[in-house]
Amino acid sequence: MDPDAAVRPEHGNATPTVTRRWPVAVWAVALVAVGLWGWWLEANGQQNLVLLGSQPFLGGLLLPSPAYMVLPVVVGSVGIAVLPRIAREWRWGWLLGAAVAFGSFWAWALSTARGWGDFLRPLYRDDDYFTALPVTDIPQFLTTFTDDLLGYATHVQGHPPGPVVILALLDRVGLAQPWLVALLYVVVGTSAIAAAGVAMKALAGEPGESLARRMLPAAALAPAAVWIATSPDAYFGGVLAWGTALLAVASARAARGCGSRSWLAPGAGAGLLLGLCPFLSYGLLPMGLIVFVVLWHTRAWGVFLFAGALVVAQLLGWGLAGFWLPDGIAATAEAWQLNGASVRPYWYFAVANVVVLATLVGPATLAGAPAIRVLVRPAPLFIALALSAALVGIAMGFMRGEVERIWLPLTAWLMLAAAAAGWHRRWLALQVAVAVAAAAIVNSPW
């Protein structure tokens, strides 16, 4: 019998080890194929891929100095050695903290593949959010945002005003320093894997914790870390993840009757975070489908309506302050039509975007994907809805390339499938190998 096909319950007998090699092989072939396809398109006159040579990823192909690769290799090797033991033995709270801390350090280590100062480079790009600062009058900024949209940098055009407003508030208290903002992006972005674990434990109890323990090492070492440092989309994903996790905690408490008011605080936190999401990224609107997993699993309608009321209150609050979400979506769609992205080849990116998503979550997730049906509920539904959100985004046609950062809010939920691969170090080694290769070869602008 193939040992990869073994079903071996461990740590709470709720998360079997079931892996298959064929999804990893399919991904590897597809990665090479879409790369060659992209190069062929450019060689035959398709100049609007705008991927700069590292198809299907955005960035040029440039091998770094071997000296800069030492740190990522060492950090990845340490993670392979210690994370499984930590996941088995450490107390739950300490484990979550360790996973976030190690994942953040791993992201920083990978960012040094181009040099020690590369960690902050994305924040100084002329198309990023810092270009909109200073904002001296936030209400005026919100009122004129859609009218003045085409005058802002590319990333500001492609998003609601929330990211700039948050930077403006930090700027007012002297905290809009690039290194602090970079730390915020990476730590909050990496913490999405802990939030997924919290949601699973809240909804499924000890079996959910068991699943999370088996998922966290692979998630902390995922290739997504290459783009978490230092992309604001990682931070957006962290906000969505913790909003979902708090909703899960509140709903589980209400469903179990754990005190008449014990769900109020997490329910309020969930409503505030989830209500912020549409003002951070329009892409979080379809990705927000994952919150309905909580309702399906708990049927806690009261909590859901309470959190939903807070979401609606924020929609109205931003509108009264000057920014109406439908107007922002329409203005951004117009800007997208004008900036050239609309003429990129649809079918190439429909395929390439899926391959990029598979690369972000890594071989351990792909190896466990065939076994998602045997994972404790509601993990299969989280995975299914996260994948559905990605497919909806692709079908809409707006996501034509440059999705390494756009997909980041989905990765924590998809990587629940890595629990089926368990603590096998060969899958962790492949996670590290893919991440190091991506950091070494793809000269990403993020």
Side-chain angles (χ1 to χ4, degrees), residues 342-388:
S342 60
V343 299
R344 293 182 181 181
Y346 174 84
W347 287 109
Y348 174 76
F349 286 109
V351 176
N353 289 353
V354 175
V355 175
V356 171
L357 180 58
T359 305
L360 293 178
V361 298
T365 301
L366 300 178
I372 62 172
R373 288 186 177 182
V374 304
L375 297 179
V376 63
R377 295 179 181 181
L381 193 54
F382 272 129
I383 295 167
L385 285 188
L387 182 58
S388 297

Side-chain angles (χ1 to χ4, degrees), residues 145-146 149 157 282 323-333:
F145 181 74
T146 53
L149 190 65
Q157 289 182 20
Y282 299 121
F323 174 76
W324 291 99
L325 190 63
D327 294 341
I329 294 173
T332 295

Side-chain angles (χ1 to χ4, degrees), residues 15-19 211 214-219 361-369 372 375 383 412-424 427-428 431:
T15 312
T17 298
V18 186
T19 57
L211 182 146
R214 295 166 61 86
M215 174 270 288
L216 284 171
V361 298
T365 301
L366 300 178
I372 62 172
L375 297 179
I383 295 167
W413 306 100
L414 292 170
M415 286 189 295
L416 292 172
W423 296 302
H424 285 298
W427 295 121
L428 298 183
Q431 294 284 90

Side-chain angles (χ1 to χ4, degrees), residues 18-57:
V18 186
T19 57
R20 297 288 188 273
R21 294 189 181 98
W22 66 263
V24 180
V26 170
W27 159 76
V29 171
L31 181 60
V32 173
V34 294
L36 294 175
W37 183 8
W39 287 317
W40 180 84
L41 286 173
E42 287 197 338
N44 286 272
Q46 185 69 262
Q47 299 301 315
N48 51 9
L49 290 182
V50 199
L51 294 178
L52 307 179
S54 62
Q55 289 85 329
F57 308 100

Side-chain angles (χ1 to χ4, degrees), residues 29-416:
V29 171
L31 181 60
V32 173
V34 294
L36 294 175
W37 183 8
W39 287 317
W40 180 84
L41 286 173
E42 287 197 338
N44 286 272
Q46 185 69 262
Q47 299 301 315
N48 51 9
L49 290 182
V50 199
L51 294 178
L52 307 179
S54 62
Q55 289 85 329
F57 308 100
L58 177 65
L61 293 175
L62 181 64
L63 292 176
S65 167
Y68 284 122
M69 298 310 302
V70 173
L71 180 61
V73 170
V74 169
V75 173
S77 299
V78 170
I80 295 168
V82 305
L83 286 177
R85 181 174 180 179
I86 290 174
R88 284 189 183 97
E89 299 178 1
W90 283 25
R91 294 175 58 183
W92 176 240
W94 286 101
L95 167 60
L96 295 178
V100 174
F102 191 94
S104 299
F105 189 72
W106 173 233
W108 171 78
L110 290 167
S111 76
T112 66
R114 303 285 165 197
W116 297 111
D118 218 45
F119 181 59
L120 299 180
R121 176 176 56 86
L123 302 182
Y124 291 103
R125 287 170 52 90
D126 58 9
D127 60 1
D128 213 76
Y129 301 102
F130 271 95
T131 59
L133 296 182
V135 177
T136 56
D137 188 338
I138 292 178
Q140 178 69 15
F141 170 75
L142 292 175
T143 301
T144 61
F145 181 74
T146 53
D147 292 334
D148 298 342
L149 190 65
L150 295 179
Y152 291 116
T154 303
H155 286 182
V156 180
Q157 289 182 20
H159 290 79
V164 175
V165 170
I166 290 173
L167 283 179
L169 293 174
L170 291 174
D171 189 42
R172 289 189 176 185
V173 295
L175 296 178
Q177 304 299 320
W179 69 272
L180 283 173
V181 174
L183 189 64
L184 174 72
Y185 289 171
V186 172
V187 173
V188 175
T190 303
S191 74
I193 61 175
V198 169
M200 281 303 306
K201 182 172 183 178
L203 297 174
E206 289 304 314
E209 178 184 332
S210 173
L211 182 146
R213 285 179 177 274
R214 295 166 61 86
M215 174 270 288
L216 284 171
L221 292 169
V226 173
W227 294 277
I228 285 177
T230 45
S231 170
D233 290 80
Y235 160 66
F236 305 157
V239 174
L240 174 62
W242 281 109
T244 305
L246 289 174
L247 186 65
V249 171
S251 298
R253 288 180 180 179
R256 295 167 188 158
C258 301
S260 59
R261 297 182 180 179
S262 63
W263 59 270
L264 278 175
L272 293 174
L273 291 179
L274 294 174
L276 179 61
C277 287
F279 303 98
L280 295 176
S281 171
Y282 299 121
L284 294 184
L285 290 169
M287 295 177 188
L289 284 171
I290 60 172
V291 303
F292 290 98
V293 175
V294 178
L295 179 63
W296 173 83
H297 192 77
T298 63
R299 304 295 197 274
W301 286 97
V303 176
F304 210 81
L305 291 174
F306 173 71
L310 292 176
V311 171
V312 172
Q314 289 189 75
L315 293 173
L316 294 175
W318 282 82
L320 294 174
F323 174 76
W324 291 99
L325 190 63
D327 294 341
I329 294 173
T332 295
E334 180 181 355
W336 180 81
Q337 290 285 348
L338 295 173
N339 70 12
S342 60
V343 299
R344 293 182 181 181
Y346 174 84
W347 287 109
Y348 174 76
F349 286 109
V351 176
N353 289 353
V354 175
V355 175
V356 171
L357 180 58
T359 305
L360 293 178
V361 298
T365 301
L366 300 178
I372 62 172
R373 288 186 177 182
V374 304
L375 297 179
V376 63
R377 295 179 181 181
L381 193 54
F382 272 129
I383 295 167
L385 285 188
L387 182 58
S388 297
L391 295 178
V392 167
I394 292 171
M396 291 174 64
F398 290 105
M399 298 174 183
R400 302 193 189 184
E402 307 180 35
V403 292
E404 299 92 314
R405 58 186 177 83
I406 296 174
W407 291 150
L408 288 174
L410 297 174
T411 55
W413 306 100
L414 292 170
M415 286 189 295
L416 292 172

